[in-house]
Amino acid sequence: MNEYYVMSIEETEQEIVEEFEVFTDWMGKYEHIIELGNSVPKIDEKYKDEIHEIKGCQSKVWVHSELKDGHIFYTADSDAIITKGLVGLIVRVFTGHTPGEILKADLSFIDKIGLHEHLSPTRSNGLTAMIKQIKLDALAHQALATKK
């Protein structure tokens, strides 16, 4: 078995949808998002710089990626607890996957759990910026890997 085996992106998305179905109101869902922020793989302090900062987020958000044996592994952090949980969700879905898998992902779980409709416009824009940056990063890893 591949030592980097993780669930498929779709399986992880379905798992997240099922987790959120347990909650009957958005207070519970927000609390769960905050808890998820505590499980984000911690970014090394040296990557909390302008290069790794996600542009378009109201809060400070940093994401770092490393390509290992064709799979990307992410670490992240934010100075805001909800935003940290949101980046935690995205990192959870994408980490351990190939650049190609990340680029093809449609992230349907975001709409299924109602994130866009329950986030403030600035948080929703920030979430979109995180996804866009991670996909651009995956594209860069893919381009570098094909040059080798």
Side-chain angles (χ1 to χ4, degrees), residues 26-96:
W26 265 90
M27 279 311 296
K29 291 180 183 188
Y30 281 128
E31 288 172 12
H32 187 60
I33 290 170
I34 291 166
E35 286 175 25
L36 291 171
N38 296 326
S39 65
V40 178
K42 287 280 187 226
I43 193 168
D44 190 304
E45 289 295 317
K46 70 182 177 185
Y47 298 120
K48 286 187 174 183
D49 58 16
E50 197 171 304
I51 293 169
H52 295 89
E53 187 177 339
I54 304 290
K55 311 302 183 260
C57 289
Q58 186 176 13
S59 307
K60 296 256 187 214
V61 181
W62 304 272
V63 176
H64 173 68
S65 66
E66 287 187 44
L67 187 68
K68 296 178 188 170
D69 298 327
H71 296 81
I72 301 176
F73 295 85
Y74 294 96
T75 56
D77 200 4
S78 175
D79 63 354
I81 57 173
I82 298 257
T83 307
K84 187 173 182 177
L86 294 175
V87 76
L89 278 172
I90 302 306
V91 164
R92 177 177 164 190
V93 170
F94 285 144
T95 206

Side-chain angles (χ1 to χ4, degrees), residues 82-117:
I82 298 257
T83 307
K84 187 173 182 177
L86 294 175
V87 76
L89 278 172
I90 302 306
V91 164
R92 177 177 164 190
V93 170
F94 285 144
T95 206
H97 291 283
T98 66
E101 290 169 333
I102 292 167
L103 290 168
K104 286 190 287 187
D106 69 359
L107 301 180
S108 62
F109 83 95
I110 292 171
D111 289 327
K112 287 179 182 174
I113 65 174
L115 269 182
H116 278 302
E117 66 192 62

